[in-house]
Amino acid sequence: MSQSRDLQGGKAFGLLKAQQEERLDEINKQFLDDPKYSSDEDLPSKLEAFKKKYMEFDLNGNGDIDIMSLKRMLEKLGVPKTHLELKKLIKEVSSGSGETFSYTDFLRMMLGKRSAILKMILMYEEKAREQEKPTGVWNTRVNKDPCLCEVYMDRQ
């Protein structure tokens, strides 16, 4: 019996994610060794951030982002798109069939000079996250309970 058959739910998923991370690290190494990207400022940390973002949305671990994964990604970022718009985004990024895009396609888009729509969405989301520092002010996106709002406002 193989090792993967002995593993249950969470352990099997963890193993798949570890294998996925190894594959993406190999691709990152190729980009680090590529003279085309040698002048890119802070390339190792960018590649690490891109790897984490890609792994977050490549849920099945097959190495490609398909239309449903992209749909979930953009909805999570608060930028839902129609099926046709998703197909256009994938076609814009993909170097292959146009139904999925690979991590290599994703890196070329993120590190390239071209302004792909998906790149702009992801960069905007990252900037918004950097500015989202806790200030102690009630945040309607996090807490929609009006009772808690009243309690907080009474303490001011």
Side-chain angles (χ1 to χ4, degrees):
M1 199 179 263
S2 74
Q3 181 184 6
S4 63
R5 288 182 183 233
D6 294 338
L7 299 177
Q8 297 176 359
K11 290 180 182 177
F13 182 75
L15 180 62
L16 287 174
K17 282 297 185 185
Q19 291 170 345
Q20 177 190 28
E21 188 167 9
E22 285 176 26
R23 286 191 305 270
L24 299 183
D25 282 338
E26 285 298 315
I27 294 169
N28 280 355
K29 186 174 179 345
Q30 293 170 8
F31 275 78
L32 286 168
D33 294 341
D34 190 334
K36 181 179 177 182
Y37 301 102
S38 63
S39 64
D40 203 322
E41 205 174 292
D42 205 19
L43 185 61
S45 63
K46 284 182 182 177
L47 290 173
E48 188 64 28
F50 295 153
K51 177 181 76 172
K52 286 181 179 170
K53 182 62 70 181
Y54 193 84
M55 286 179 66
E56 184 178 338
F57 296 108
D58 181 18
L59 298 178
N60 61 8
N62 70 354
D64 289 336
I65 300 284
D66 62 7
I67 197 161
M68 290 310 292
S69 297
L70 183 59
K71 178 178 173 55
R72 278 190 301 270
M73 175 195 317
L74 294 176
E75 285 174 351
K76 186 175 179 182
L77 298 175
V79 191
K81 298 288 181 194
T82 66
H83 189 77
L84 188 57
E85 289 171 319
L86 293 168
K87 287 179 94 167
K88 285 181 181 178
L89 286 174
I90 288 175
K91 191 171 190 118
E92 184 178 289
V93 175
S94 176
S95 64
S97 69
E99 294 182 13
T100 63
F101 61 89
S102 68
Y103 183 59
T104 303
D105 293 332
F106 179 72
L107 289 179
R108 284 189 188 123
M109 173 195 64
M110 295 304 289
L111 295 172
K113 304 294 182 223
R114 224 175 83 224
S115 288
I117 294 169
L118 181 59
K119 177 180 178 178
M120 293 180 342
I121 291 169
L122 292 172
M123 293 176 85
Y124 172 77
E125 184 260 345
E126 190 62 34
K127 294 270 187 233
R129 233 186 234 165
E130 288 173 7
Q131 294 174 353
E132 228 179 62
K133 301 234 180 353
T135 60
V137 177
W138 184 68
N139 186 342
T140 57
R141 290 186 312 163
V142 176
N143 189 344
K144 294 184 181 196
D145 186 344
C147 296
L148 292 177
C149 177
E150 291 170 8
V151 169
Y152 180 77
M153 293 178 82
D154 287 341
R155 289 179 27 204
Q156 284 186 344

